[in-house]
Amino acid sequence: MAELGHTVIAIDTSTAKVASLSRGEPPMFEPGLDELMAKVMPTGRLRFTTDYAQARAADVHFICVGTPQLRGGNAADTSYVFAAAQSLAPHLRDGALVVGKSTVPVGTAGRVRACLQTGAPEGVHAHLAWNPEFLREGFAIQDTLAPNRFVYGVDGPAAAADVALLDEVYAGPLAAGTPRIVTDYPTAELVKGAANAFLATKISFINAMAEVCEAAGADVVQLADALGHDDRIGRKFLNAGIGFGGGCLPKDIRAFMARAGELGAEQALTFLREVDAINLGRRPKTVALAREQCGGTLVGKRVAVLGAAFKPDSDDIRDSPALDVAESVRRAGAFVTVHDPKAMEAAEHVHPDLDYAGTVEAACVDADLVLHLTEWKQFREIDPVKLATVVAHPRIIDGRNALDPVLWREAGWAYRALGRPTI
Ligand SMILES: NC(=O)c1ccc[n+]([C@@H]2O[C@H](COP(=O)([O-])OP(=O)(O)OC[C@H]3O[C@@H](n4cnc5c(N)ncnc54)[C@H](O)[C@@H]3O)[C@@H](O)[C@H]2O)c1
């Protein structure tokens, strides 16, 4: 927002995050973010605080707090959204617009507006728009500066003025041609859940195809390539492997199912249960393949795990399939050493029982098996001939179907991948 020319005050309840951001240090890794902060901080247009009173001067307030899965349930925990709305309300000026960005169950926006209205100063009319966030970690800056669409959910007599104000906020990307859809609250809220449900379904679809390919001796990568040439299908999100994770897709499809159930539309989304089950099933499947590759047992074996982040170009390890597999392999009796270009610190914090190494080579010393579990560019560039000299047994499972099997096999490796024939 500051890069788009606005003056921004960012409020977080975490004093540690505010302190590090105020020094110009992002508390997480996102490509280009260090550089962007170094560019923007000297302009004075971006400040960080824990003090909600400092929001008073703003014309537009974005609520972007987390909506994790409820402990012990599938629904979304929206308490942070309501806490933010409650803290903000007393500082609202008349005419200021609050914009919900968090991913929420349909029906939340109306309740957030009521919460704002209750807490707002006497005589202040609370305006609320819902503007779901579609950015992808790893591409967050590009997706923010040049998103592929805007969705504005608006309601009430001030709707036209709210749209006009949001258009001012997004003047740059709108002028560059970003399409925008103006709709009601429930449609705007549902777009995000539906988009994530579709993407998750596409990944689980190709992973289901991988299982059939394995049974039939076919190759899921070639199958995906062939499917992808049909532009009604498209090649994106058809990469078979150990499946999706992260802080969005898994919790969002579960919250979507839970909310549909509350609305009496549970039947409509039962297929998402299968999508979730197919996805989670990839992890034990990978562990079983690892066991098979190690001659029937993982006990006492040395296993190198390449990747800890849930996806490349991120240090986010929330529900990371790579770490889940690494942990299961360790529990099955193996000595596991993990390497990730950016997510080691986060991983070590949550999984102190795993071993960590600063380089790919160090992680692979004397390994009986290498597991490639997050498709970082750095891993695609590994020289398999060189790495073969480091390990005890040149055996690799490519959990992301991202390495070149010909190259690895020519270098003497036993290369296995989910959904591809064994040679
Ligand atoms: N991460 C993504 O790629 C992505 C993409 C699209 C949408 N979303 C959605 O955006 C929302 C945020 O996701 P995230 O990954 O950034 O979550 P996060 O948990 O990483 O960050 C949330 C932040 O909110 C802060 N916070 C919590 N309560 C607060 C309060 N009352 N006042 C001020 N700050 C508070 C936390 O300290 C934390 O820094 C979620 O609804 C998520 O589903 C995330």
Side-chain angles (χ1 to χ4, degrees):
M1 287 295 172
E3 172 69 1
L4 287 174
H6 305 298
T7 302
V8 181
I9 178 94
I11 301 173
D12 200 293
T13 45
S14 161
T15 45
K17 280 191 186 178
V18 167
S20 110
L21 285 160
S22 300
R23 291 192 301 271
E25 294 165 11
M28 87 289 208
F29 170 72
E30 180 64 36
L33 190 54
D34 284 345
E35 296 78 357
L36 189 60
M37 284 197 64
K39 183 178 165 204
V40 159
M41 293 297 276
T43 66
R45 289 202 305 270
L46 177 59
R47 289 181 301 116
F48 300 89
T49 181
T50 53
D51 177 13
Y52 266 93
Q54 295 200 35
R56 196 182 300 270
D59 305 304
V60 185
H61 308 267
F62 287 97
I63 297 184
C64 334
V65 297
T67 47
Q69 190 171 333
L70 261 184
R71 268 167 198 254
N74 277 337
D77 179 355
T78 55
S79 61
Y80 302 96
V81 173
F82 286 97
Q86 256 162 21
S87 304
L88 176 63
H91 307 292
L92 286 177
R93 286 183 295 116
D94 203 31
L97 175 64
V98 180
V99 184
K101 274 220 160 271
S102 300
T103 302
V104 293
V106 59
T108 305
R111 290 171 50 224
V112 171
R113 187 170 59 185
C115 168
L116 289 167
Q117 196 58 66
T118 307
E122 193 79 22
V124 168
H125 171 67
H127 294 233
L128 178 85
W130 213 265
N131 171 219
E133 179 55 63
F134 300 108
L135 72 78
R136 299 159 298 168
E137 285 176 37
F139 301 92
I141 294 174
Q142 137 192 356
D143 287 351
T144 304
L145 299 179
N148 51 22
R149 81 283 215 194
F150 290 115
V151 175
Y152 304 171
V154 289
D155 186 51
D162 298 342
V163 169
L165 193 48
L166 267 178
D167 279 353
E168 267 184 60
V169 171
Y170 294 130
L174 286 172
T178 301
R180 76 150 163 59
I181 288 166
V182 177
T183 183
D184 48 36
Y185 285 165
T187 308
E189 294 167 311
L190 273 177
V191 172
K192 179 68 189 176
N196 277 352
F198 188 83
L199 295 172
T201 304
K202 213 171 166 191
I203 299 173
S204 279
F205 172 83
I206 200 64
N207 280 330
M209 291 306 111
E211 305 251 338
V212 180
C213 282
E214 268 170 43
D219 185 327
V220 74
V221 176
Q222 289 185 321
L223 182 97
D225 289 343
L227 287 174
H229 285 298
D230 182 336
D231 61 13
R232 293 169 306 175
I233 298 174
R235 180 66 177 81
K236 287 182 180 162
F237 270 62
L238 281 187
N239 294 323
I242 61 171
F244 59 80
C248 285
L249 285 193
K251 62 113 176 147
D252 285 349
I253 60 167
R254 290 171 201 150
F256 202 34
M257 281 185 275
R259 184 64 184 138
E262 287 168 8
L263 293 170
E266 192 176 355
Q267 282 288 318
L269 296 189
T270 45
F271 74 95
L272 286 178
R273 247 186 261 288
E274 200 56 37
V275 166
D276 200 10
I278 292 169
N279 187 56
L280 290 177
R282 305 304 281 166
R283 303 175 187 189
K285 173 116 191 141
T286 309
V287 178
L289 189 56
R291 186 178 287 112
E292 182 193 309
Q293 288 300 95
C294 283
T297 178
L298 285 162
V299 176
K301 300 291 173 129
R302 301 195 84 85
V303 176
V305 168
L306 305 183
F310 88 94
K311 68 188 283 193
D313 293 320
S314 171
D315 63 353
D316 194 343
I317 57 154
R318 287 178 285 186
D319 195 9
S320 163
L323 282 176
D324 204 3
V325 169
E327 194 61 59
S328 300
V329 168
R330 184 193 68 80
R331 278 198 302 269
F335 300 105
V336 179
T337 308
V338 180
H339 172 71
D340 187 284
K342 295 287 176 190
M344 304 265 278
E345 205 183 310
E348 214 163 344
H349 189 65
V350 180
H351 294 276
D353 290 345
L354 296 169
D355 214 0
Y356 296 88
T359 63
V360 169
E361 290 72 24
C364 292
V365 168
D366 289 336
D368 295 295
L369 176 68
V370 177
L371 298 176
H372 172 239
L373 301 182
T374 310
E375 66 274 40
W376 284 91
K377 179 171 166 282
Q378 289 91 323
F379 298 154
R380 283 201 300 277
E381 290 166 353
I382 292 171
D383 177 354
V385 176
K386 236 167 95 187
L387 199 63
T389 63
V390 169
V391 295
H393 298 281
R395 294 190 281 231
I396 185 160
I397 295 175
D398 183 2
R400 293 295 182 179
N401 274 310
L403 306 175
D404 182 349
V406 176
L407 217 62
W408 284 79
R409 284 181 178 135
E410 276 176 5
W413 288 75
Y415 171 96
R416 286 295 305 271
L418 299 165
R420 305 193 87 173
T422 321
I423 293 177

